[in-house]
Amino acid sequence: QVQLVESGGGLVQPGGSLRLSCAASGSIFSINAMGWYRQAPGKERELVATITSGGSTNHADSVKGRFTISRDNAKNTVYLQMNSLKPEDTAVYYCKADATTRAYYNMAYWGKGTLVTVSS
């Protein structure tokens, strides 16, 4: 009922920047929190950043000062601006949205992920 499509991943050199986007579509009444998570090879999925519908944000300590989450409520889209990228940022980045539809209240939906590789 809700589809999340991420874009913007790719290969970047250390110190470089990327901007991820995630657009939600479907029979959506409203979206509460949206966020980005990542999973590196051999590691568990971890929170990167979240943002509420009102714009309050939370960033993991490992990305504070380098990554910035934002959203466009009119477009049901969340962004992740990633600067000063490090090799340890290499991971598959997943978008998550807590959405209310006709069938479900505030249910978590996940995108399929986009790969970010930081390497020289």
Side-chain angles (χ1 to χ4, degrees):
Q1 291 182 324
V2 177
Q3 296 79 42
L4 299 178
V5 178
E6 301 104 332
S7 61
L11 174 64
V12 63
Q13 291 186 342
S17 298
L18 282 176
R19 188 190 194 211
L20 305 183
S21 299
C22 172
S25 62
S27 302
I28 299 170
F29 285 170
S30 64
I31 299 179
N32 189 6
M34 301 185 80
W36 290 96
Y37 294 73
R38 67 186 181 186
Q39 187 166 18
K43 294 188 177 181
E44 294 185 352
R45 189 174 299 188
E46 64 176 4
L47 180 147
V48 176
T50 60
I51 184 168
T52 68
S53 57
S56 295
T57 63
N58 176 51
H59 294 79
D61 288 343
S62 59
V63 306
K64 280 182 180 177
R66 300 188 299 122
F67 293 9
T68 302
I69 190 171
S70 61
R71 66 189 281 177
D72 184 331
N73 290 333
K75 296 182 179 179
N76 287 337
T77 299
V78 63
Y79 306 96
L80 185 68
Q81 179 65 44
M82 304 186 294
N83 299 328
S84 302
L85 282 159
K86 304 175 181 180
E88 51 263 44
D89 294 318
T90 295
V92 177
Y93 284 71
Y94 296 92
C95 172
K96 175 179 175 280
D98 296 331
T100 295
T101 64
R102 179 175 299 179
Y104 300 102
Y105 172 75
N106 208 37
M107 181 173 180
Y109 294 89
W110 291 88
K112 294 183 178 181
T114 184
L115 178 62
V116 172
T117 303
V118 185
S119 176
S120 56

